[in-house]
Amino acid sequence: MIKRWFCIAGFMILIAVCAGCGITRHESSSVKNQEDMEPVITVFDKSSGNSRFDDKIALEIQKRTGVRIELINPTEAPSQKARLMLANRDYPDIVITDLAAGNTAGIMADKYAEAGALIPLEVHIETMGPDIMSMYGDTLEDLRHEDGHIYYLTSWYGENLEPVAGFQIRYDILKELAGQERADSSEAFTQKEITELLRSFHQRYPEIDGQASIPFTFNQENSGRTLYGMFGLKYYHETDEGEIQTIYKAPEYLPMLLFLNQLYREELLDKDWLVNKAQSYEEKLKSGRVFMTAGAYWDMDSINVVLKEKYGGEAQFYSYKVLGDGIKDGETAYNGRNSLGWDCIGITDNCENVEAAMKVLNFLASEEGQYLTLWGIEGEDWDQVDGKRVPRKEILDSFEVNIEKTRDETGIRKWTWMTKNGNGSDGSPYDMATKLRLSESARRAYTNMSGDYWDTAPYAGIAPEAGTAEAAIQQEITAIGQNACYLAVCAKTPEESERIYADMLADMEKAGVDRLEQVMNERYRNKK
């Protein structure tokens, strides 16, 4: 059994979408018909912003289920709204809130469950959720809490092999320095190779467009996964005996620090790496003076557009795998994904019509619901051709140009409350917008970063409960680790980096890391 972890108004006539995209208007039921529809289910969606549930997909969901859905918007602070609703017991029939990812404990979903605000779903799934049962499969068992109940379902669940992090390298410059054959190869780079490439770039391009070049930079806010992945580091270190330790104790942690320290000492690492934030980081990449960075391939999309216009079509950042010293291909950990998904959707104890709520959830979970929400309406947005779904060209083109704009204008891929990863019965991917036609950067990421998937779910939610003494210890341990990391990377010699690392471990012992790990192991065993 897993522990409890991680984890409106009236309707308007549909507005026609941008004519420039070639997407047709959907002739839907009148407002009056929608308002007269019964029963009514209210839904809080943390991600809905100021949207109304009145686009053509939303209207079609209501038409096919026979249930009118009234959306409760989160306004500007979704978490605060969710907390206030729970505190006042003033929440709607269905709540869609956070399922914790990574190494943090569940917040709002578990708070609602612990407070008795979410009803157990397993009996209702057995009697009214055949599509939920068939689509979720074994994931339902993984969603059970320690008391045996299932309090919420999740979205974007199931194994997801899509690449995540990687070293993003300027293809045109890589081709110049290493040759086209190496630049086009899916063979991983070694730590030695990548260091030599950074040196070559630094020597050949001390300046670009009158500014000092930057061999390697990264965004402090979201690039850690790439550097961890290079050395096979996950959220925690698991010993050969199956015990969980903080990541700082992993044998590969010091080699990672020494690698960054070497780049820093040789002036291959951006001197401002410590203070890089999203805006300044993007400005550096768009300036054209950066050779290499770290992050997800989709982080480069808008940057690549600028570089292509400025320097030509091959001036693009593409994903490449780098192996830390002593790490073999297959031992890296770039592609961490939570098989349980991202968001939680639960029925509250305020719901007076559980049958109607289950009708909505079961439909959205079904294959029919998946293709409606993610592909649109047959005959308008896609067609059956030789037994396979084929999207209309204007829809696919529009998603490729601007996924967010197309989502908002069409409603396709907007209401992903019960979305499943993977392909449907005819082999076509559920997520048409991002999986059917891969961009060149996505294609290279899939090729170069393949075989690197690992499931983050076993590690999620094992951190101490908020407000406990152990949670305070964890905060102190994290602060010690972050400070030591900065000092070790900026050290004048490798020996100084090693000393700082040793001092860090000693400080963590004094702070109570053993007690922290004891609690994490208890929670980890309970989850298993």
Side-chain angles (χ1 to χ4, degrees):
M1 306 295 180
I2 67 171
K3 193 130 176 125
R4 293 185 178 179
W5 49 281
F6 64 84
C7 333
I8 5 204
F11 293 84
M12 301 173 62
I13 297 176
L14 180 69
I15 301 172
V17 298
C18 178
C21 295
I23 301 170
T24 58
R25 178 194 300 266
H26 174 67
E27 298 298 335
S28 63
S29 303
S30 68
V31 175
K32 183 177 185 300
N33 287 340
Q34 288 295 320
E35 291 179 344
D36 289 344
M37 183 184 291
E38 296 291 343
V40 178
I41 291 294
T42 53
V43 178
F44 169 77
D45 179 359
K46 72 178 184 67
S47 302
S48 65
N50 295 317
S51 299
R52 297 184 178 184
F53 204 70
D54 63 355
D55 57 70
K56 71 175 183 180
I57 303 302
L59 295 176
E60 191 67 18
I61 291 170
Q62 295 170 100
K63 176 182 176 182
R64 298 192 193 185
T65 60
V67 177
R68 180 157 63 93
I69 297 172
E70 293 186 356
L71 201 61
I72 308 299
N73 290 132
T75 61
E76 297 179 357
S79 296
Q80 182 180 359
K81 174 83 169 182
R83 290 189 182 94
L84 288 174
M85 290 193 304
L86 180 60
N88 298 324
R89 310 296 289 191
D90 183 24
Y91 38 75
D93 300 315
I94 291 175
V95 292
I96 303 170
T97 185
D98 295 306
L99 172 70
N103 61 347
T104 57
I107 302 178
M108 290 316 304
D110 284 340
K111 292 294 184 186
Y112 270 72
E114 290 165 3
L118 300 180
I119 66 172
L121 296 176
E122 61 274 2
V123 173
H124 303 302
I125 291 172
E126 290 175 6
T127 58
M128 295 181 284
D131 291 300
I132 293 174
M133 292 184 68
S134 63
M135 293 289 276
Y136 278 78
D138 292 341
T139 301
L140 290 176
E141 289 304 307
D142 293 333
L143 288 172
R144 284 188 186 273
H145 283 57
E146 196 172 43
D147 61 6
H149 292 306
I150 299 171
Y151 291 100
Y152 45 73
L153 299 167
T154 50
S155 64
W156 298 107
Y157 64 95
E159 187 178 75
N160 185 353
L161 301 180
E162 181 182 15
V164 183
F167 279 79
Q168 307 299 324
I169 305 177
R170 270 276 297 269
Y171 174 74
D172 55 339
I173 300 176
L174 177 61
K175 191 172 73 168
E176 177 186 339
L177 297 177
Q180 182 166 351
E181 182 177 353
R182 189 67 181 101
D184 289 339
S185 171
S186 61
E187 179 185 353
F189 287 98
T190 64
Q191 181 174 326
K192 181 179 179 180
E193 281 182 301
I194 216 69
T195 305
E196 286 298 330
L197 281 168
L198 289 168
R199 289 172 181 151
S200 297
F201 170 79
H202 191 41
Q203 293 169 1
R204 186 171 299 188
Y205 294 102
E207 289 188 352
I208 292 179
D209 293 341
Q211 292 183 292
S213 65
I214 303 174
F216 180 62
T217 189
F218 58 91
N219 179 1
Q220 267 286 65
E221 297 174 339
N222 66 4
S223 293
R225 179 76 265 141
T226 301
L227 297 169
Y228 282 6
M230 174 182 174
F231 290 89
L233 292 165
K234 299 182 179 179
Y235 294 137
Y236 300 98
H237 171 56
E238 188 167 357
T239 67
D240 293 338
E241 293 75 30
E243 292 293 305
I244 295 297
Q245 295 179 332
T246 63
I247 193 172
Y248 306 106
K249 291 185 179 181
E252 300 82 11
Y253 195 83
L254 176 58
M256 180 191 71
L257 293 180
L258 292 175
F259 168 64
L260 289 173
N261 173 249
Q262 179 185 10
L263 298 187
Y264 182 81
R265 286 185 289 106
E266 296 188 26
E267 298 183 350
L268 303 176
L269 175 62
D270 183 4
K271 61 183 177 61
D272 297 324
W273 71 276
L274 183 59
V275 295
N276 267 343
K277 299 297 182 183
Q279 183 175 351
S280 61
Y281 169 73
E282 288 190 10
E283 287 174 354
K284 289 177 181 178
L285 296 180
K286 289 178 179 178
S287 73
R289 57 196 181 107
V290 175
F291 174 45
M292 191 181 307
T293 186
Y297 74 86
W298 54 79
D299 291 339
M300 301 297 108
D301 286 349
S302 61
I303 294 160
N304 282 342
V305 170
V306 173
L307 293 177
K308 184 176 180 179
E309 293 176 352
K310 190 173 183 180
Y311 298 106
E314 291 192 336
Q316 303 283 278
F317 281 102
Y318 292 144
S319 290
Y320 293 88
K321 185 185 295 186
V322 179
L323 308 178
D325 283 348
I327 304 297
K328 299 176 182 177
D329 201 356
E331 295 177 344
T332 52
Y334 289 100
N335 188 17
R337 289 279 191 171
N338 191 332
S339 63
L340 294 183
W342 302 108
D343 297 332
C344 298
I345 180 166
I347 300 175
T348 72
D349 61 344
N350 281 348
C351 181
E352 297 181 356
N353 194 334
V354 174
E355 182 178 356
M358 282 298 302
K359 184 178 291 187
V360 172
L361 299 190
N362 189 64
F363 171 74
L364 291 175
S366 70
E367 187 160 288
E368 179 186 356
Q370 299 291 301
Y371 283 116
L372 171 62
T373 54
L374 297 172
W375 283 61
I377 298 172
E378 183 177 5
E380 287 190 27
D381 306 307
W382 60 273
D383 301 287
Q384 285 279 358
V385 179
D386 297 328
K388 297 204 69 170
R389 292 173 175 83
V390 178
R392 296 282 176 93
K393 184 178 183 301
E394 61 268 23
I395 287 287
L396 201 54
D397 289 347
S398 184
F399 269 113
E400 190 170 16
V401 171
N402 192 321
I403 190 170
E404 294 182 357
K405 180 181 179 183
T406 306
R407 179 198 64 199
D408 292 339
E409 291 179 343
T410 65
I412 300 171
R413 208 177 185 266
K414 187 172 186 178
W415 310 108
T416 55
W417 295 346
M418 309 281 284
T419 300
K420 182 178 183 178
N421 292 314
N423 299 334
S425 57
D426 69 352
S428 58
Y430 291 130
D431 189 9
M432 174 268 295
T434 67
K435 301 294 192 298
L436 195 64
R437 181 196 288 174
L438 296 178
S439 65
E440 181 61 17
S441 60
R443 185 191 66 78
R444 288 181 181 261
Y446 272 89
T447 300
N448 296 342
M449 306 304 295
S450 63
D452 200 64
Y453 169 81
W454 62 281
D455 191 1
T456 68
Y459 299 105
I462 68 172
E465 294 282 357
T468 62
E470 292 77 21
I473 293 174
Q474 185 180 41
Q475 290 180 339
E476 185 174 358
I477 295 299
T478 301
I480 292 171
Q482 289 177 340
N483 185 57
C485 174
Y486 303 151
L487 294 175
V489 171
C490 298
K492 294 180 180 180
T493 65
E495 292 75 20
E496 184 181 349
S497 289
E498 293 179 7
R499 179 186 58 76
I500 291 169
Y501 175 75
D503 290 344
M504 176 198 75
L505 293 181
D507 290 341
M508 288 180 175
E509 289 296 324
K510 294 176 184 177
V513 69
D514 290 343
R515 175 55 189 161
L516 170 63
E517 291 172 347
Q518 180 182 347
V519 170
M520 291 193 304
N521 276 286
E522 290 172 357
R523 293 170 68 86
Y524 184 63
R525 285 191 291 270
N526 286 337
K527 282 185 58 178
K528 294 172 87 172

